[in-house]
Amino acid sequence: MTTSKIAVIGLGNIGQVVAGNLSKSQREFFVADRNLEKAKELSSNWGNKAQPSDIETAVKTAQIFVLAIPFEVIEEFLKEYSKDLVGKIIVDPSNPIAPDENGGFKKIIGENESAGEINSKFLPENAKLVKALGTLGAASLSESAYQNPEKSVLFYTTDDESINPEVESLIKDSGFEPLRIGGIDQSIRIEVFGDLHEFGALGKPVTLTEAKGKILNLTRSAFR
Ligand SMILES: NC(=O)c1ccc[n+]([C@@H]2O[C@H](COP(=O)([O-])OP(=O)(O)OC[C@H]3O[C@@H](n4cnc5c(N)ncnc54)[C@H](OP(=O)(O)O)[C@@H]3O)[C@@H](O)[C@H]2O)c1
């Protein structure tokens, strides 16, 4: 079991679900928001393992950061806190989308680009990027956590496999089964509209068994 301290940064829809899921594990973690009062009020929902914090304190103290903030502000965040984030693990659930004219969503970066690849350009020195926790909508991330008898899977990508145990421990402590899809260049698959995203070809949360079948089928169809 890893004891690295996690900080959930940003307590909107996804940040609150991530915190709620983590609170069911044995792990202590920071819940940080630019509004400290909001962090204090919300933290009472998650028991005494969730420690409310301002962002400045959290970035100095934690080792793993879940950036539950909009894609558009991640570059600015990584630059602003670059000194405190040196060598740390940055978990990025962002989906690069905005509302379209028809009540749906559209991608706000190039069709073949991913948020993962874009955000990897702004990483602080020796920091390691993980794309994870963004493959399900907030409702499914909450409802399918700690599923029985077989857990739902959460996919992740990272270039640095030495951090796989830390990432997988975070995903397990969130009530899911982890599955690495590849490096950051594979992130497009697990972002919105991707073949392994709930709001892409995947369509719903899946178990590890179902996910492996899908990946196998997708790989086979690529060779047909
Ligand atoms: N919602 C989903 O179903 C879903 C699913 C998968 C992935 N995601 C991704 O998760 C991320 C968060 O989405 P969300 O739905 O949780 O958004 P949200 O409900 O709008 O919450 C965003 C949070 O980020 C904070 N924030 C905004 N700008 C900031 C800045 N410059 N510095 C620090 N904090 C800032 C906000 O603080 P304030 O409250 O002070 O504005 C808020 O706490 C996004 O990247 C999104 O693409 C969302």
Side-chain angles (χ1 to χ4, degrees), residues 10-14 33-34 38 55 68-71 73 93-95 134 136-138:
L11 299 174
N13 292 312
I14 278 290
D33 195 273
R34 57 184 174 178
K38 179 177 161 188
I55 292 180
I69 58 178
F71 166 73
V73 305
S94 70
N95 283 301
L136 298 176

Side-chain angles (χ1 to χ4, degrees), residues 23 29 42-51:
S23 72
F29 56 99
L42 284 170
S43 68
S44 61
N45 297 331
W46 304 313
N48 55 11
K49 288 189 226 88
Q51 299 161 14

Side-chain angles (χ1 to χ4, degrees), residues 202-224:
L202 202 62
K204 64 181 182 64
V206 294
T207 63
L208 188 58
T209 312
E210 291 168 329
K212 284 183 171 164
K214 268 191 186 295
I215 289 167
L216 209 61
N217 285 335
L218 287 165
T219 313
R220 279 197 193 122
S221 62
F223 288 102
R224 270 182 205 136

Side-chain angles (χ1 to χ4, degrees), residues 13 19 29 39 71 93 97 117-118 121 128 135 138 149 153 160 175 197 203 208 224:
N13 292 312
F29 56 99
F71 166 73
I97 51 171
E117 288 169 293
I118 291 174
K121 298 188 182 117
K128 299 147 201 337
T135 44
V153 72
D160 188 337
H197 194 282
L208 188 58
R224 270 182 205 136

